[in-house]
Every structure is written in structure tokens, then in C-alpha cells.
Amino acid sequence: MSGKEKKTVKTVIDGKEYAFPQGTTILEAAKSVGIEIPHFCYHPGLSIAGACRMCLVEIEKMPKLQISCHMTVDDGMVIHTNNERVKKARKAMLEFHLVNHPLDCPVCDQGGECNLQIYYMMHGNYISRLRENKVKKTKKAFQIGPHVMLDQERCVLCSRCVRFCQEISKSNELGIFQRGDREEIDVFPDMQLNSPYSANVVDICPVGALLDKDFRFKTRAWYLESADSICPRCSRGCNIEIHYNLNRPWKNEGRRLARLKPRCNLEVNDWWVCDEGRYSFKFIDDDNRIEGPLVRTDGKARNTGFKEALELAAESLRNSAASTDVEIAVLVSPRAANEELYLLKHVFSEQLPGTRLVFSSATPFEPTEDDILRKKDKNSNTRGAELMGLTPDSAQVWSLSELKDAVLAGEIGALYICYHDITGLPEEFSAGWAEALERIPLVVYQGTNTCPTSEKAQIIFPAAAFAEREGTVTNFEGRVQIQQKVFEPLSEALPGWQIIQSLGVALGGSYEYESAEEVFADLAKNEPAFAGLSYEKIGSGGFVAKDAKA
Amino acid sequence: MSVSFPEKDRKLVEEMIRHYPHKKSAIGDVLYLAQKHFGYITPEVELYVASLLDLPASYVHQVVTFYSMYLKKPVGKYLIMLCDNVSCLLCGAEDLLGRIKEKLGIEVGETTQEGKFTLWTVECLGACEQAPVMMINDKLYGNLTPDKLDRLLDSLE
């Protein structure tokens, strides 16, 4: 809450007195003191619907039960969230919600994370009194958009998805059609739920009515573990949870990463994430991952192990540096973590002084942007590179086209490429590069996946993907956020900072960082923009770097 | 958009919008006008109405599907709405229903082949003092007897 200090009011909830800011809803107030009130339709990011009647509570001196999602706390209010009368009302509401529900939990993908299931076990648990036939709806397992599957029978008509489409994505595809027991969620006839934010309706659906087509039937929700991370797909840096499965490799074709879910951060992405970001993780478990360090001789790539590849790279780079006619260039990636960028900057300037840094924020992705979340810059850490002086704003750093001119003039003896697939970029950036790469005597590629650019490299280092290493990225407004290490890197891959450090050692330097956090501690000491920051300070919400606003 | 109102009806829509503080509030009137003009309301008509009132199409579809008297499918020239609630049933509505079905050769919800009659049963029409009652299009007919019903149906062109 910004602006004026709000008045606090004293309210009794379940026999205990608390102070809350005036205007807090009873549901939120109770939640803040650890009392969960069941609800379907209420969502903190959406308007209040008051549709599900699950959050009824008793307020003394009020004749009827009140919905706690809408009623606000006030001085002297005495609220009961769990007395016999409330419990009875909840049970009755659940009975209504379940009248036409198909009870197909065993084949429902929401099973295990379904509010209807959870609330029934906690608050319902009755023997059905229903003798009538259930009302059948028309659309079951029906695809209504590129990412979303609809099952009308499972719907409890909370209208969260409809409100999301009205208020957040403003695309208005969904509505509640028909009336009474025939009411159903659907898209307008012949329309698709295809806004760039469509899959958020799956997250907010409290039941199994809207499901993620990509994740459906891949694995059960209770087999998944979760770790906090930051979406790598654009410079917004949306906070996400990575849901993964390591113990049951026979599920989901052995893919470790099962799905990404948005994680609420009111400073960055609220409760949402765009579809581009949500499905951006496929490369991590892709078949084309680079699994070991490769050295290519006579067109054949061979896994030599890290030691040999590093030594060869160091020797070749040294030879190149010894020549006065040619320069060494490093193509820095705005997708690399701050720690990696910091080491890159230091290792090359200390071990191979005069190395030319090159920076490009070009990506193969369409530069989509809107005023909800998506940013045009599809890199996670352009701002971090900028704050460390690694972008062409600083005179010594080249752009991709300056590099190409130098390559074509025969001035580049060796090129170290981080993550960029130069030949896979849009035409304006990639033009001429396929031939240009052939003209560089030594190309070293460090990346996660095999690509046409890596195919042209003589030495290839397998780097860990963002979910396989710890690190920080800086979003467009200068917020430094942590990407946790979720699982081990695939095969022999190593975190980027570790590869650079080992290369530095092979080049004769002494670098002895044990973890990304240690690198960051040095980074914070030496880079003024990051002064005073630490992993602890960044925490789960991120921290805006100093001078970042300038 | 392939459907649209003629100039005269477009003026009417503007008039309807002026009756309300918000443009959106005219939706009921405009949809009814659309039904009169186009016969029934298709998704295409909904899109047109949505464009007239600056509303999302899904919102218009919600309103159309909520109210049963917005017609989603074509009906015959004469829409027979026979009350089947208690007062009318006690006064012989069941016999009347059987009579209509037999005479027109259709079941409830169906339309005669030449497209002249559609038969519906409806809830209370609010005229129990004249039970049994029915409506044909916009007109109410009360104190019905089988004979009266026969004469009425025969008189319709």
C-alpha cells in the first residue's frame, strides 16, 4: 500500500483480536494471520464476483452469513470462520457445487491440486443424497485454444477465467453462457482462446475445467517438486516456479522439467506469465542438448573431456593472441547470468588483454510487446550486461555488424561465442554470417543446444541451462533476481561461470570461486551498480540495483 | 460484416442508446430489434450488435443465451406458446396441447414443414384468471376450449 498510512481497525477472528488496515477484506485479513477460508471465485488479482459462496463467515450481530471475500474488517467486528453454522453452510455449498460435477477425479489432470477435491475432503465429506441424473454438458476434453483444454462438466462457474479475459488480457474470449443448471463456460462460437496470456486461465481455474494442453496427462501433480526461478524469455523477468520430476523418469518421456507456473511478485508480474515464457523451457530436455565438450577435427566432432578441450582452447587462443595481425573477439550473451558476464569480463581482460568484446541482444524470437508483461527485448539479462559496461554503449564494445566487418576484413583470429545462434537470427542480423564464420580460424562455442552456429565451431563447451545452475539476472528496470539451481546439468554440462573460470585457469590465471554466490559477492564489490547486493538481500522478490533507474 | 440494419433501424438504435446512461444498457432493446429484423439471432448478428454497442461479442452471447425468448434458431411464422403451469393444466391445457400436436403434426419445440407454426410450452404467462392461455407471437389468447383453438388456428393465414 502506497501513499497515506491507512487507519488500522481491531477485529476479532475466531476468538483472537488482531489489528488490520481498514479496507482489508475478511478473507485476506484471515489469511494474513494463518486462517484459510475456502473459496473458488475470489482471486486477489481479479475483481470480486461473490459467485461461489464458499467463503461465508459468521459476523456477530449480522443476521445472515456474509461472504468474506467482499466484506471488509471493521472496528469491533467479531468474526467466526469455522463455527458449526459456517461449517454447515460450507457443506451445503459444496453439495450444490458437486450436484452436476462428474466426479472423474481419477482421470482428471487437476487431481491433487484441485480445490474442489481438497475442500470436499476438508469441509464436505458427506454421502451423496442425489438421486437425479446429472446435467451433461457439451464440451468435454475440448480444445478451445492453442494451449487450453475445456471440460465444462467440471466447472464450478466461479468466473475467474472470464474475469481474467475481461480485466487482465482484455481479450474477452470467454463467457458464461446459458442459464441455471445449463450454465457453461465457453468461448464465443468459432472463436479461439488465443490471447498471448491464455494459459493463465489454467492456473487460476480452481478445478479441472481448464487444463494445460502441454502438461495434460504427462505426470501427476503430486509427483512434482518445485523451485523458484525467473523466466528467461524476455527482459521482464517474470517470477516463476519450475515444476520438475526427477524420481520417475518413465513419466513424460524422461523430461525433467514438467511445467512453468507464474509466481506472484507484485513488483514484476503480479500473478501472471505470458504463454511465450510459459512454454519456453522445452530446450532444456531437448534431444539436441550439447552433452559433452567437443573438439572438431576434419569435420568430425569428438568428446575429449573438459581438460583436453580447455587446454586446446587456451592454447589456440594464446596463439591467436600472439599474432599482431588479428584480434580475439568474445560475443557476449545477454542471456548469460550476471556471474557469468562478470567472469567473462575479467578472465578475458586479465588473461588475454586486448580481447574485443562484442554484444548483441538480437534473438530469433518475434519482438512482441504489450503493456501487460511482454517486453520487446527477449533476453533475460540485457540490463545486467549494460550495468557492467558490456553493451555497445561503451566505446570498446562492438555490435554484431562491426564484428562482421572485421571478420570479413580478416582481422579476427578467434571468436568465442556465448549462447548466440548467429545464423539463426532474423535476416537483418544473420545475413552473411554463415560464410563469415567459415573465415574465422578458430570458433569456440559455449551453449546449451546444438545449432547451426555451434556446428561451425571447432571447440564446443556444454553449458548448463538456466534451470541447471544458480545465478542472477537483471530485468529491464534493473531488478536483480535469482534463478535457483533446480536440478543437475545434463551429462557433462557445467554452469557458464564455471566454464569461463576453468578457461581462465587453463589460460594461466588463478580463479577459485566455489559457487555462483561467491562470484556475485565479488561482483557486488567491484561493479558499482551492484554495490551492496548479496543473494540474501535479493531474496525471493529481487532487489533493484543501484543507479539502475538512470 | 455481412449483416447490418437498414438506415431506419440504425436511427432506432441510436434512440435506444440515448435512453440509458450507459451504451451497454441498450443491449436488451437492440437485441430484440435485431430479432425482429433478422428473425433470429445468430453469432453473426451478435457480432454486429456487439460492434454497435462497443461490447465484447462474448458478453452479447451471454445475454442472448441467458434469455430464452431471444431466438437462437428460426421459428415458424406463428410461434405458439402454450402455458403448461398449474392453473392452465387444471383448466385443460393438456387436452389443448394434444389437440395442437395432432392438428399440426408436430411435437413441442418443432416447426411444421411449411414453416407456418412452431409449438412451445412455456411457464406461467401471468393470466391465470383466463386459464388455459397461450400466446401466438405477441398476442395473448385466454379461456381456450378445443373448439376455440381450432377456429383460431384455422383463421391464421
Side-chain angles (χ1 to χ4, degrees), chain B:
Chain B
M1 205 159 300
S2 51
V3 295
S4 64
F5 284 141
E7 187 57 33
K8 174 176 68 82
D9 284 350
R10 239 174 297 173
K11 285 240 167 64
L12 264 175
V13 171
E14 275 164 38
E15 176 69 28
M16 287 164 176
I17 290 170
R18 270 201 297 279
H19 284 198
Y20 301 97
H22 304 292
K23 211 172 180 181
K24 142 183 197 180
S25 312
I27 188 168
D29 295 350
V30 177
L31 280 172
Y32 197 61
L33 182 72
Q35 175 161 317
K36 279 205 160 153
H37 184 80
F38 300 110
Y40 59 102
I41 301 173
T42 59
E44 210 176 10
V45 173
E46 288 169 0
L47 282 167
Y48 177 58
V49 170
S51 73
L52 289 176
L53 299 174
D54 298 330
L55 286 170
S58 56
Y59 182 87
V60 178
H61 193 60
Q62 290 188 134
V63 175
V64 171
T65 54
F66 184 91
Y67 294 106
S68 48
M69 287 178 76
Y70 286 128
L71 303 171
K72 271 74 76 181
K73 283 182 196 146
V75 292
K77 186 177 175 193
Y78 299 102
L79 175 58
I80 303 169
M81 289 171 274
L82 181 76
C83 172
D84 69 350
N85 281 184
V86 66
S87 307
C88 290
L89 285 180
L90 289 172
C91 294
E94 255 173 323
D95 293 343
L96 293 177
L97 182 64
R99 184 95 181 174
I100 300 173
K101 282 186 189 173
E102 194 184 329
K103 196 173 167 70
L104 302 179
I106 51 173
E107 289 296 312
V108 174
E110 291 180 351
T111 304
T112 52
Q113 247 173 9
E114 79 283 18
K116 192 171 173 190
F117 292 103
T118 299
L119 174 62
W120 283 8
T121 53
V122 295
E123 309 303 317
C124 184
L125 291 169
C128 305
E129 80 283 3
Q130 303 175 45
V133 295
M134 70 175 185
M135 280 178 82
I136 296 180
N137 293 345
D138 293 339
K139 202 162 182 282
L140 182 80
Y141 300 90
N143 298 316
L144 292 170
T145 61
D147 279 353
K148 214 170 154 182
L149 181 79
D150 273 348
R151 265 178 281 137
L152 182 59
L153 292 181
D154 291 342
S155 72
L156 294 170
E157 287 300 312

Side-chain angles (χ1 to χ4, degrees), chain A residues 172 174-179 188, chain B residues 46 56-58 61-62 65-66:
Chain A
N172 292 301
L174 287 166
I176 296 181
F177 306 137
Q178 308 296 339
R179 187 181 63 203
F188 185 80
Chain B
E46 288 169 0
S58 56
H61 193 60
Q62 290 188 134
T65 54
F66 184 91

